[in-house]
Amino acid sequence: MTAAPPGAGTWVAGVDSGGSGLRVALARVGPDGAPVPAGEPVTAPPVRTGEAGIDAGHLLDLLLPALGALRAAAGAGPRVAAVCVGAAGMATLGGELRERLPGALRDAVGAAAVALAADAVTGYAGAVGERPGAVVAAGTGLIALGTDLTAWRRADGWGHLLGDCGGGAWIGRAGLEAALRAHDGRDGGSAPLLARAEAVFGPAAGMPGRLYPRSDRPAVLASFAPEVARCAAGAAPDPVARGILRASAREIAGTAAAVCPPVNGGGGGRAVALTGGLLGLGEPLLGPLREELARRLPEAAVEEAAGQPLAGALLIAARLAAGRLRLPRDPALLRVTGAGP
């Protein structure tokens, strides 16, 4: 009989903290070392962010009751061997979390190992596991993360003013620019996009006054990306809208190529996965994106993401419990405190 691997049967927890809220899940480490989730995740409101960064006290106020409820429902007993907390902003705003969470989780649930990860890292782990490769998260913004399992490489994620090239806000802004070009009679304009922009935002002349003061400009711009996709599809596709989506595909493929590790010292890359709501634009974007990825990364295996960031957090916690996490540690992106049991 083959012996169970280290950590098998122990309990671990995963946490995904982002702008839409906090999600907490519990799992048992299976015979193959993979996490086996126990029940449905518990959800909570978003964690506050203040002058000191992500509010560690508020996160603990939400997390500890959720863990208690999950453990009681699963009969998990008093101890969770390892916890992985993935949080948006961890790299730049997670100082207080790194200071307080390891001790608090050790005291509350007995966690011998705690991983504090950027949400891009848990997204990577959920999408491709512990293989070398690259993951592109494309939503309102756009960021790519890659690793050869010795170090992490990040590209873009610089926000809608300085980057996020090819993301939802980038597409929406380009679509609105083409609409206003048509309104002015300048080259590069699109009458179909102008019609859709005025249907959504009102008369073109008043658009700057309605958009510039908004504190949620990236989301507002991204809300126009589906209109660009609609204009690019159908029986009479708009060439300007199609050009915008082709340009987006080039940007996304280029960002993936920037972080994807080489194969055997040559060109190309490893596994490449795409995640995020932007993929919901469908074939008007996905068609050119497949072509651009094949051109930029001909040796890469482009695949669907296997799971979401919460699944990635559970995987990291399970690997910690077994003492065999392969993903590289990093002071900002993946900091591990303690060791597996």
Side-chain angles (χ1 to χ4, degrees):
M1 179 181 294
T2 302
T10 57
W11 291 97
V12 298
V15 181
D16 177 37
S17 176
S20 61
L22 185 78
R23 300 176 70 228
V24 186
L26 197 66
R28 202 150 200 169
V29 181
D32 60 352
V36 181
E40 293 296 317
V42 171
T43 61
V47 176
R48 292 191 296 262
T49 299
E51 293 183 0
I54 302 169
D55 189 329
H58 188 221
L59 188 149
L60 287 167
D61 287 344
L62 299 172
L63 172 57
L64 295 183
L67 277 176
L70 285 166
R71 290 161 59 217
R79 185 162 182 256
V80 174
V83 180
C84 175
V85 178
M90 179 71 78
T92 54
L93 301 173
E96 191 175 273
L97 297 187
R98 289 187 279 269
E99 181 179 335
R100 293 187 55 184
L101 258 62
L105 289 169
R106 182 181 61 247
D107 294 343
V109 298
V114 175
L116 301 179
D119 58 343
V121 170
T122 51
Y124 185 99
V128 301
E130 294 185 293
R131 293 178 292 157
V135 174
V136 179
T140 295
L142 190 132
I143 186 171
L145 194 68
T147 183
D148 58 2
L149 300 185
T150 63
W152 293 101
R153 184 172 177 83
R154 164 194 156 159
D156 213 337
W158 301 121
H160 76 292
L161 292 179
L162 300 177
D164 286 353
C165 299
W170 187 96
I171 292 172
R173 193 214 60 80
L176 290 172
E177 179 190 335
L180 292 176
R181 283 177 174 273
H183 174 266
D184 294 345
R186 291 180 288 147
D187 293 342
S190 164
L193 286 171
L194 175 60
R196 293 311 307 150
E198 292 193 320
V200 174
F201 296 110
M207 231 175 273
R210 288 188 291 273
L211 291 179
Y212 287 161
R214 297 283 295 260
S215 60
D216 58 346
R217 275 194 311 274
V220 174
L221 292 171
S223 72
F224 194 65
E227 302 294 341
V228 177
R230 290 187 189 101
C231 289
D238 174 43
V240 174
R242 291 184 67 184
I244 291 170
L245 294 182
R246 170 64 70 176
S248 168
R250 283 195 296 269
E251 292 287 354
I252 295 170
T255 302
V259 302
C260 200
V263 173
N264 298 325
R270 310 285 181 92
V272 175
L274 307 172
T275 68
L278 194 67
L279 305 183
L281 296 185
E283 197 60 21
L285 174 64
L286 298 181
L289 182 53
R290 285 191 293 268
E291 295 173 6
E292 293 294 334
L293 286 169
R295 183 178 67 84
R296 293 297 301 266
L297 294 168
E299 298 180 41
V302 181
E303 56 193 55
E304 292 185 9
Q308 298 300 313
L310 184 59
L314 286 173
L315 176 65
I316 291 171
R319 294 295 191 255
L320 280 179
R324 52 188 181 129
L325 179 65
R326 296 183 65 207
L327 295 176
R329 274 72 160 176
D330 182 274
L333 294 174
L334 180 57
R335 179 174 294 191
V336 175
T337 302

